[in-house]
Amino acid sequence: MRSTSHPSSELNVASTSSTGAATAANLPLATAGPAAEYDEDIVRLFLAATILWGVVGMLVGVIIALQLAWWPANLGLPWTTFGRLRPLHTNAVIFAFGGNVIFTAIYYSMQRLLKTRMWSDALSRVHFWGWQLIIV
């Protein structure tokens, strides 16, 4: 019968302690391969969209808060009333700002956790522009 060896079983006898067990200090270090090139462009795109939608959503929130406190801020136009701007504010903050925050974190952390680049840069761009189109 053929014996198969496991890389961890090939420790040098000198790397074992007096009890015969290998210590963490004596284990061989993993050799690092070439540095992975991550897709930072998609992270930057989602981060820029996060900042943009955050400013837009929170600015609309300030406007509708002003309308509640000071009624002339409604401007007398039907599309600038509180009832029309409140859904814009909530959707911009929840989906536009919040969604872009989540996607920024996912694209940043996933590549580092998996130690590899995203499978397709084009698919990442389709995801980015598709999400922005859904928001608008």
Side-chain angles (χ1 to χ4, degrees), residues 38-51 104 128:
Y38 302 131
D39 185 9
E40 297 292 339
D41 293 336
I42 192 67
V43 176
R44 287 187 188 103
L45 281 173
F46 272 110
L47 185 60
T50 298
I51 294 167
T104 302
F128 173 76

Side-chain angles (χ1 to χ4, degrees), residues 47-104:
L47 185 60
T50 298
I51 294 167
L52 174 76
W53 287 116
V55 168
V56 168
M58 293 179 203
L59 181 64
V60 173
V62 168
I63 291 169
I64 63 174
L66 180 65
Q67 288 179 347
L68 286 175
W70 186 57
W71 67 266
N74 287 323
L75 303 175
L77 302 171
W79 54 85
T80 62
T81 61
F82 177 83
R84 295 272 178 100
L85 292 180
R86 186 192 55 82
L88 177 67
H89 161 69
T90 54
N91 285 329
V93 171
I94 293 169
F95 295 109
F97 176 72
N100 280 305
V101 164
I102 290 170
F103 291 135
T104 302

